[in-house]
Amino acid sequence: MRATEAGTAEALVADALANPVNGAILARLPQLGVEQPWLVAGCVYGPAWNRLAGRPAAENIKDYDVFYWDEDTSWEAEDAVIRRAAALFEDLGVEVELKNQKRVPIWYPEKYGVAYPPVASAAGTIGLFQIACTCVGLGPRPGGGVEVCAPHGLDELYAGVLRPNPLCPSPPERVRAKAGSYRARWPWLRFVE
């Protein structure tokens, strides 16, 4: 399987919303009461790859990641948001993981052994994923609709090109492992170093 279409924001939104869980999460995010909420990562790009492979939209989606921004970087503040989210999304029957992006530079070096670049917003961290084409997020717009964040564009996502993101602080072996994980689920993808 090789994709030949160019990626557009409209295509990404349509593909992501083909999985009704994504639509439910996006509709409820404003109720969570956090700043700069974004639905990100595999639950956003996975449905596009699934469509291109002729698979159901929700296949191979491990979890649903939500980024947000809070100046309070305490674990207690993040835990309170996690507990609110657990109640808000409980009926969906999926794992929704929340992370305060302002906190990431605090714990990342200890967990992964490398420094994390300074961040100024939740959207700014979307551009730091290990594989460039997976740097995508969807956010609820005030008044309705969906905003797309794709700092590296969408063409490689729809072409199935897995290229290391030079902005990501991860070591090369972790990037290769991530690409291998994607290729195990979507074999038509190709890794380009």
Side-chain angles (χ1 to χ4, degrees):
M1 163 79 209
R2 299 268 323 246
T4 57
E5 65 187 70
T8 66
E10 294 79 15
L12 183 67
V13 170
D15 286 335
L17 293 181
N19 177 353
V21 173
N22 283 335
I25 292 172
L26 284 166
R28 296 178 194 182
L29 275 179
Q31 297 172 44
L32 196 54
V34 296
E35 296 293 319
Q36 305 175 33
W38 291 93
L39 183 63
V40 300
C43 64
V44 176
Y45 58 77
W49 289 346
N50 283 335
R51 180 180 60 78
L52 292 168
R55 295 171 157 170
E59 189 173 305
N60 291 318
I61 307 303
K62 293 180 175 181
D63 56 29
Y64 296 76
D65 294 307
V66 174
F67 284 3
Y68 70 97
W69 191 264
D70 187 348
E71 292 295 327
D72 183 345
T73 58
S74 70
W75 164 246
E76 293 77 16
E78 186 171 36
D79 187 54
V81 173
I82 291 169
R83 283 186 274 111
R84 287 198 319 267
L88 182 62
F89 303 123
E90 180 179 28
D91 65 306
L92 298 178
V94 299
E95 185 177 346
V96 181
E97 293 189 356
L98 282 91
K99 285 193 177 59
N100 176 8
Q101 295 305 289
K102 176 78 173 175
R103 271 180 49 82
V104 175
I106 296 169
W107 56 260
Y108 194 95
E110 184 177 328
K111 183 170 183 176
Y112 295 112
V114 293
Y116 195 82
V119 293
S121 68
T125 64
I126 294 171
L128 300 175
F129 294 149
Q130 294 171 326
I131 305 293
C133 75
T134 67
C135 297
V136 293
L138 302 178
R141 286 182 197 238
V146 177
E147 182 176 357
V148 174
C149 179
H152 302 291
L154 296 169
D155 290 344
E156 287 191 344
L157 185 143
Y158 280 93
V161 175
L162 305 175
R163 186 181 312 279
N165 179 1
L167 302 177
C168 180
S170 287
E173 61 274 7
R174 284 194 61 234
V175 175
R176 283 192 288 279
K178 179 63 82 173
S181 169
Y182 294 148
R183 293 199 70 244
R185 289 175 277 161
W186 295 281
W188 62 275
L189 300 175
R190 58 195 168 89
F191 184 54
V192 177
E193 290 201 64

